[in-house]
Amino acid sequence: INAEYGETTTCAMQASRLTIPMIRARMVGGINTPTRMAGGIAVVGANVIDMIAYVPRFPRPGETVHGESFQQGFGGKGANQAVAAARLGSSVEMVSSVGNDSNGRGTISNFQENGVGVGMVFTSEDQSTGVAPITVDEAGSNSIVIVMGANNYLKPAHMEQARETIRNSRLLLCQLEIDMETTLAALRIANQEGVESILNTAPAREEIPAELLEVADIVCPNQPELSLLTGGMPTDTVDQAAAAAHELLRRGPSTVLCTLGKEGCLLVKSDGSEFRAKATHHVPTDTAGAGDCFLGAFAHFYSQGAMEMEQAILLANKASGLSVTRRGTQLSFPFISELEIDSEP
């Protein structure tokens, strides 16, 4: 999902030199926090506590494998994407739910330390904060089990409470980890309020309401998800993925951004244009959260309004490429000062 350079069919861009406004960092509580840029991102999604075990290989059914190390951190696709964007300098508001427990309080503190707003993070008295046991092998591949817990407390009525937060944002970012009707309610509000939206169709679902694709502006699947969304169209090759993306466009969104694993990613627009960003050659240490880093970074760069979508993709892939060289999920996400980007005052 990481890109080093891109190629396009019906639009031209200069990929060799990317320019963005200067972002100056400040230190808050030991964290290199960038000064927040104008315009904001609302993220509606899940948060969980990641419990990561590093092993030489995945255990077979019924087998016990000794792990090499263990790390606990903060995760959930929505939370990850929010933190990724905030670390790069976006003003981000999280809409989510935690349990009334130590993990929930820690999650809220983590958001605050990373510069993510928590005014719309609700608390469930009946459910514990979500957890995600993760196993990572020596090649950096991972397997994940998610127990959603308090995330299931987040309902469409909460989206109405968050309407002003969505209205005041430049971009809404959603995934499919929480209740489907809640995600749909958030996307409807963004549509009503004239706020551009991104729908990350992960984790994969066999069936989703057709309206989700109709109200989302940018849909971001990976190849298996793209196949599911198009009724089983093949997506194994880049050409097949492009054909499926064009089919998906006919179902509502104006843009499809498909991640292609080691092949990079593919952008297809309703005007017929295609742009492919090829993969970098980072040797992965830990791929957990890499896709979330990419989408959070893409949302950050795109929401600033100072560059084309293709440029935002290239910069997002720089961030994601750096993240896979580090262990941890949110801990691996870079700050803007760590990216090699040409900038201007």
Side-chain angles (χ1 to χ4, degrees):
I1 60 172
N2 310 311
E4 184 176 23
Y5 57 95
E7 56 190 26
T8 186
T9 55
T10 61
C11 61
M13 65 170 291
Q14 187 69 29
S16 61
R17 180 179 176 85
L18 302 174
T19 302
I20 63 170
M22 179 74 77
I23 301 175
R24 295 178 173 83
R26 57 190 175 89
M27 295 297 292
V28 177
I31 293 181
N32 185 21
T33 305
T35 302
R36 301 295 153 205
M37 298 185 72
I41 300 170
V43 181
V44 174
N47 69 87
V48 298
I49 299 297
D50 286 340
M51 298 179 291
I52 309 169
Y54 294 93
V55 297
R57 60 176 177 81
F58 295 120
R60 301 180 183 90
E63 181 185 20
T64 298
V65 171
H66 284 280
E68 297 172 342
S69 62
F70 174 80
Q71 187 175 45
Q72 183 165 303
F74 300 94
K77 299 193 72 63
N80 289 345
Q81 292 169 21
V83 168
R87 282 191 167 208
L88 293 172
S90 278
S91 175
V92 181
E93 291 291 330
M94 186 71 197
V95 184
S96 193
S97 178
V98 298
N100 185 13
D101 50 34
S102 60
N103 282 338
R105 290 185 286 275
T107 295
I108 290 174
S109 294
N110 179 67
F111 282 141
Q112 293 171 326
E113 290 170 2
N114 281 285
V116 176
V118 296
M120 286 290 116
V121 177
F122 301 92
T123 300
S124 169
E125 298 295 335
D126 302 320
Q127 297 280 342
S128 62
T129 300
V131 295
I134 301 172
T135 305
V136 181
D137 71 5
E138 287 183 339
S141 299
N142 63 79
S143 64
I144 305 173
V145 175
I146 300 177
V147 181
M148 296 304 293
N151 292 288
N152 293 325
Y153 171 75
L154 202 62
K155 298 299 180 183
H158 294 110
M159 297 306 99
E160 282 301 326
Q161 294 182 54
R163 179 179 285 270
E164 185 176 357
T165 296
I166 296 172
R167 180 192 302 126
N168 293 334
S169 301
R170 279 191 173 184
L171 194 64
L172 171 69
L173 182 54
C174 296
Q175 314 78 33
L176 295 182
E177 272 190 325
I178 61 172
D179 177 72
M180 193 82 72
E181 287 300 317
T182 302
T183 299
L184 182 54
L187 290 168
R188 284 173 180 154
I189 290 171
N191 188 268
Q192 294 162 5
E193 300 292 348
V195 175
E196 194 166 9
S197 61
I198 298 175
L199 174 62
N200 175 208
T201 55
R205 302 279 189 107
E206 289 288 343
E207 295 183 3
I208 66 171
E211 189 183 353
L212 272 177
L213 301 177
E214 295 168 0
V215 295
D217 296 300
I218 304 170
V219 173
C220 301
N222 60 20
Q223 286 163 285
E225 292 158 4
L226 180 59
S227 180
L228 282 174
L229 291 170
T230 54
M233 287 185 67
T235 57
D236 294 333
T237 68
V238 175
D239 287 344
Q240 289 174 338
H246 283 288
E247 172 59 31
L248 187 59
L249 288 174
R250 287 190 276 272
R251 305 189 184 199
S254 60
T255 304
V256 174
L257 174 56
C258 180
T259 56
L260 304 170
K262 65 181 181 180
E263 297 297 327
C265 60
L266 175 69
L267 177 72
V268 180
K269 297 180 179 179
S270 57
D271 64 5
S273 64
E274 298 178 7
F275 173 82
R276 181 187 170 197
K278 294 185 179 181
T280 58
H281 304 290
H282 290 92
V283 177
T285 298
D286 183 356
T287 59
D292 294 332
C293 181
F294 167 76
L295 283 173
F298 170 71
H300 162 73
F301 290 115
Y302 180 58
S303 68
Q304 304 309 318
M307 65 179 67
E308 296 297 323
M309 194 177 293
E310 291 83 356
Q311 289 178 304
I313 289 170
L314 293 175
L315 291 172
N317 280 289
K318 284 180 177 286
S320 181
L322 183 56
S323 77
V324 302
T325 66
R326 305 167 173 176
R327 284 190 168 186
T329 306
Q330 293 179 17
L331 291 175
S332 73
F333 299 165
F335 294 95
I336 193 71
S337 58
E338 298 178 273
L339 300 183
E340 295 180 2
I341 302 171
D342 292 328
S343 59
E344 62 185 13

